[in-house]
Every structure is written in C-alpha cells, then in structure tokens.
Amino acid sequence: MYASSPDSADQVSPIGSFTDPEYAQVGLTEAKARESHDVAVTTIRFDGNTRAIIDGRTTGFCKLIVDGATCTILGCHVVGERAVEIVQAVAIAMTARMRVDDLARVPLSLPTYTSILGRAAYRAAEQLNLDVSGQLYEEKGHPYSR
C-alpha cells in the first residue's frame, strides 16, 4: 500500500508461475507501455549470468521496460530460473517509484540470479543517458565496472 490513496492504475501486482522454466511479470507489457509512453526497453539473456552458468540453467531472459520521460520502471518480464524472485525485486522498486538509475545503483550480491536485474537496469539507464558510471554489473559471466 502507498501512503497516499492511489488509483487502481498505480497498483503493483506481480504474477508468475513455478514452471520449468519459471516465468513472472509485473507492470505493463512493452506493447501496452508504448501506447502511452516513450520507452526504453532492455533485454538481458540468462546465458550471460554467472549464477545461471554455474547452475546450468542458462535458458531465459529479463526484459525491463522504462518510461523515457520519468525514468521509472513500467514493467518487467522474466523467463528463467528464479523468475518469480527477480520480479519481486522489481515490484519493490516500482512500489517505491525508483528511477532505473537508482535501481542500477543498488548493490546486488554476485553471483546471483537477481544480478541480471542490476544489469538490465544499468543498460536501460545507459539508453536514457543517465549517469551510472562506476557501477558494477555482469557481462558474459565476468563482473566489471564501466
């Protein structure tokens, strides 16, 4: 719940299923977001995530949809191992109305599946020309900073 009284459009409601692979989503789809927003979209594949490689669970992706004007997260869709848990983190960020560059600055443990979200946030922030210099994220299984 928000401190103020939000209308129903502001409700954050993540959904998912523990299939193989898992899938989960929160917020708008890319198509729905494009109907009323200028968006930045980034998709990061699981085959570049260290934890997914270690576990042999490299099938999947994390798609992050961000409002180009406000830099807030409009939606996230994940297919792959721990998808439901990854989307829970996005739901927290959306509820807090975090900007994508703020999410990119959240320190995430490595190697984890959730680190794919940090990488997606970093990429989206770059697309929007937001300063996230010095942030650590994973690229093809190797953490480094830009």
Side-chain angles (χ1 to χ4, degrees), residues 41-58:
V41 177
T42 186
T43 302
I44 305 296
R45 294 170 25 151
F46 269 55
D47 61 3
N49 176 276
T50 302
R51 179 62 189 266
I53 293 167
I54 290 168
D55 291 349
R57 305 290 292 183
T58 57

Side-chain angles (χ1 to χ4, degrees), residues 33-98:
R34 287 188 186 283
E35 289 177 10
S36 56
H37 301 273
D38 178 30
V39 298
V41 177
T42 186
T43 302
I44 305 296
R45 294 170 25 151
F46 269 55
D47 61 3
N49 176 276
T50 302
R51 179 62 189 266
I53 293 167
I54 290 168
D55 291 349
R57 305 290 292 183
T58 57
T59 299
F61 65 89
C62 174
K63 179 191 272 190
L64 197 61
I65 304 152
V66 180
D67 186 305
T70 65
C71 302
T72 56
I73 299 162
L74 297 173
C76 181
H77 307 272
V78 180
V79 173
E81 193 72 10
R82 311 277 171 91
V84 174
E85 293 177 23
I86 294 166
V87 166
Q88 294 295 329
V90 179
I92 292 167
M94 289 175 70
T95 300
R97 298 195 191 324
M98 289 177 73

